[in-house]
Amino acid sequence: MSRDAVEAARWFGKAAEQGDLNAQYNLGVLYDHGIGVAQNDTEALKWYRKSAEQGYAPAETNLGGMYDHGRAVPLDHAEALRWYRKAAEQGLAPAQFNLGAMYYNGQGVAQDTTEAMNWCRKAAEQGFAMAQNDLGQMYVDGPVEDYAEAVKWFRKAADQGNADGQLNLGLRYENGEGVPQNYAEAMKWYRLAADNGKPGAMYGIALMYDNGTGVAQDFGEAINWYRKAAAQGFPPAESNLGLMYQSGKGVPQDYAEAANWYRKAAEQGLPTAQTNLGNLYSGGRGVPLDRVHAYMWLSMAAARGDPNAEKIQQLVAKAMTQAEITEAQRLAVEWKPGAAH
């Protein structure tokens, strides 16, 4: 803990005790993040509240955040909304963004996309990059689909270095949504987002190399980027890495390694990975032959809408007794992540 930070905390503490709202807020921030003092949510809450009760918008926002995440108080979305609104009505962009998110998700208030867009736009027009990205996403998801408007806001966020905006702008260029399709531009924005740590962008780059979209097909590069995204636990990348090992594309064929990657994605609920893992169990490839667990994974994938799962499940069922099917169904219902299957 630096001497300067400790000294700053001491002086903020003196001013805060005398009722200075800026000092109260700053002392709350120091306790919130453990700067110059031991991290303490209760103390952070106390000082945010004192400042917020004097109408200081940043403190109102942070106090709302404490209620929003249940830190030092019971989680209370309605109370979070109340404090976010106070700050938002003073024009503070982060509070406007948070208030928009509450309306969008129906937390502490009835879900209302129009109000969500209204508050998100207020923050976006002040240059708040997270709001710009989310406003763009609202134009993609509806209720009024407008890809050109979405691209406008994604670009504003992306130009500020916002990784989500960069990823979303890359997606629009790849798919030709709101802009002319341009794979070079898609790759450019994916790489920027990947440099900022976005696994979805790493996955997008991998797919382009895997399929030869806008670049020469290169399974080695595809593997490289799938692996980067998979290292962050991104299920589609884990599943596709499994597929590369199963098919021997860019790596020596290795069913056990395929099963390993399918399992990682399957345990996060990805239906295609659950189907592929079930299929390996049904044939004893990379895992012991086990029709009960094959049927279990296929049942879970079918329930999540994978169109191939039910067909394979029916074939597997022909080699099973009714008792085995009943056991597989029980396992599917009782399954929890991390179970040894």
Side-chain angles (χ1 to χ4, degrees):
M1 197 173 289
S2 77
R3 184 177 301 174
D4 287 347
V6 172
E7 188 67 7
R10 188 171 74 84
W11 283 106
F12 281 138
K14 287 179 179 292
E17 291 287 0
Q18 294 177 38
D20 184 282
L21 60 84
N22 287 286
Q24 291 168 341
Y25 166 72
N26 286 323
L27 187 58
V29 170
L30 296 184
Y31 276 112
D32 197 348
H33 299 287
I35 302 170
V37 290
Q39 199 284 332
N40 188 318
D41 282 351
T42 301
E43 283 293 304
L45 178 77
K46 166 186 164 182
W47 291 109
Y48 285 151
R49 189 183 303 281
K50 286 182 180 292
S51 181
E53 286 173 348
Q54 295 193 64
Y56 190 51
E60 291 170 338
T61 302
N62 286 15
L63 182 57
M66 301 295 276
Y67 280 104
D68 202 356
H69 301 288
R71 294 177 56 203
V73 287
L75 188 145
D76 187 336
H77 289 310
E79 190 67 3
L81 183 90
R82 185 170 78 87
W83 287 107
Y84 287 152
R85 190 184 301 281
K86 286 177 180 289
E89 287 175 348
Q90 293 189 61
L92 193 70
Q96 294 169 336
F97 169 70
N98 289 341
L99 185 57
M102 301 291 275
Y103 273 108
Y104 191 77
N105 297 317
Q107 294 176 317
V109 68
Q111 201 278 338
D112 187 331
T113 304
T114 301
E115 272 298 285
M117 293 185 77
N118 174 50
W119 285 107
C120 202
R121 186 183 305 281
K122 288 178 186 292
E125 287 173 347
Q126 293 192 64
F128 194 63
M130 291 171 65
Q132 292 169 337
N133 175 72
D134 280 18
L135 184 58
Q137 194 61 52
M138 290 179 195
Y139 277 111
V140 170
D141 297 336
V144 180
E145 185 181 281
D146 187 336
Y147 283 112
E149 191 69 10
V151 165
K152 180 182 91 172
W153 290 107
F154 288 146
R155 192 181 304 281
K156 287 178 182 292
D159 284 342
Q160 292 194 65
N162 179 271
D164 289 315
Q166 292 166 339
L167 169 57
N168 283 322
L169 188 56
L171 283 166
R172 303 289 82 78
Y173 274 111
E174 182 176 2
N175 298 325
E177 296 166 333
V179 287
Q181 191 173 57
N182 186 322
Y183 294 132
E185 278 293 298
M187 181 66 85
K188 165 191 161 182
W189 289 108
Y190 283 157
R191 286 191 182 277
L192 287 169
D195 287 345
N196 281 322
K198 291 300 292 185
M202 299 169 191
Y203 176 70
I205 295 170
L207 282 177
M208 293 184 80
Y209 279 113
D210 196 353
N211 299 319
T213 304
V215 292
Q217 190 173 53
D218 187 330
F219 294 140
E221 272 297 286
I223 287 279
N224 176 47
W225 285 102
Y226 282 141
R227 201 178 297 282
K228 288 176 185 286
Q232 293 194 45
F234 193 66
E238 293 170 335
S239 184
N240 279 21
L241 195 52
L243 191 60
M244 301 296 271
Y245 276 106
Q246 181 173 348
S247 59
K249 287 165 55 178
V251 287
Q253 189 176 55
D254 186 333
Y255 288 116
E257 193 64 10
N260 173 54
W261 287 107
Y262 287 149
R263 190 183 309 281
K264 289 177 185 290
E267 289 185 345
Q268 294 186 68
L270 190 71
T272 52
Q274 292 172 336
T275 296
N276 289 338
L277 182 57
N279 198 25
L280 291 184
Y281 271 114
S282 74
R285 292 175 296 174
V287 289
L289 175 63
D290 187 337
R291 294 189 181 91
V292 169
H293 283 105
Y295 193 99
M296 180 201 80
W297 284 113
L298 293 164
S299 293
M300 292 166 63
R304 288 171 170 81
D306 184 29
N308 296 317
E310 190 172 351
K311 297 174 186 176
I312 301 170
Q313 185 183 25
Q314 289 171 355
L315 292 173
V316 172
K318 291 178 179 179
M320 297 173 70
T321 66
Q322 185 56 51
E324 288 173 330
I325 291 173
T326 301
E327 173 65 5
Q329 291 169 336
R330 181 189 69 79
L331 290 172
V333 170
E334 295 179 0
W335 180 85
K336 294 179 182 178
H341 297 310

